[in-house]
Amino acid sequence: MSTILKIFAFPAAIFIMCLGILTVLGGHITPGGGFQGGAMVAAGFIFCAVVYGIEKSPFQFSHEFMSAMESIGALGYVGLGLCGLLFSGFFLYNLGVDLYGVSQAVSGFFNYPDPTDAGIIPYLNIVVGLKVMVGLSAIVITFMEFRGEEVTE
């Protein structure tokens, strides 16, 4: 790639990733959320991977890191769902808002004195954002590392 593109790519990727994090964290009060924000964070990583190459990219996602993030995302989602199931009888019940008064004992943990209270939705956005970021990044890493071998007959 050209030198100008290499100079531009890293700051632009940081900016894209920051917008993605902002989308994840504000997803309960604005359009967007975990999926869109995770895709934006992955786009910043992918931008650097395409410009610099996998070996020289400023963001080095090891297999262990990606596996850990994917596991945290999956276990966090299931854990939040099971909290709702345990305390209310419904999987992914929004414990913080508790519109039906089902789980008074736990609603204080997820409830904030804020007019934009969303209960467990911000936590769900974070874990979904992790899953999407790792999933899209893994697809691109796999495609970029694949070296096709010609089939000779």
Side-chain angles (χ1 to χ4, degrees), residues 24-48:
V24 168
L25 295 178
H28 63 288
I29 54 174
T30 61
F35 185 86
Q36 293 86 346
M40 291 169 73
V41 173
F45 167 74
I46 292 166
F47 188 38
C48 281

Side-chain angles (χ1 to χ4, degrees), residues 135-150:
L136 292 177
S137 299
I139 290 169
V140 171
I141 287 172
T142 303
F143 283 151
M144 290 184 75
E145 288 181 347
F146 177 73
R147 305 272 190 250
E149 296 180 13
E150 294 182 20

Side-chain angles (χ1 to χ4, degrees), residues 17-135:
M17 287 179 170
C18 288
L19 286 176
I21 292 169
L22 181 69
T23 303
V24 168
L25 295 178
H28 63 288
I29 54 174
T30 61
F35 185 86
Q36 293 86 346
M40 291 169 73
V41 173
F45 167 74
I46 292 166
F47 188 38
C48 281
V50 167
V51 170
Y52 296 104
I54 289 292
E55 292 81 19
K56 296 180 182 174
S57 177
F59 303 109
Q60 294 293 326
F61 289 171
S62 68
H63 178 72
E64 292 80 20
F65 173 77
M66 292 181 71
S67 176
M69 290 297 108
E70 180 110 21
S71 298
I72 289 170
L75 291 175
Y77 190 85
V78 170
L80 287 170
L82 290 177
C83 281
L85 187 63
L86 179 68
F87 292 107
S88 71
F90 303 102
F91 188 74
L92 285 177
Y93 184 77
N94 198 354
L95 295 172
V97 177
D98 197 20
L99 295 175
Y100 303 112
V102 175
S103 59
Q104 297 294 330
V106 155
S107 68
F109 180 72
F110 293 107
N111 192 12
Y112 304 107
D114 187 336
T116 59
D117 179 34
I120 65 169
I121 303 299
Y123 302 109
L124 287 173
N125 282 339
I126 291 169
V127 295
V128 168
L130 283 175
K131 288 278 296 170
V132 170
M133 184 262 306
V134 170

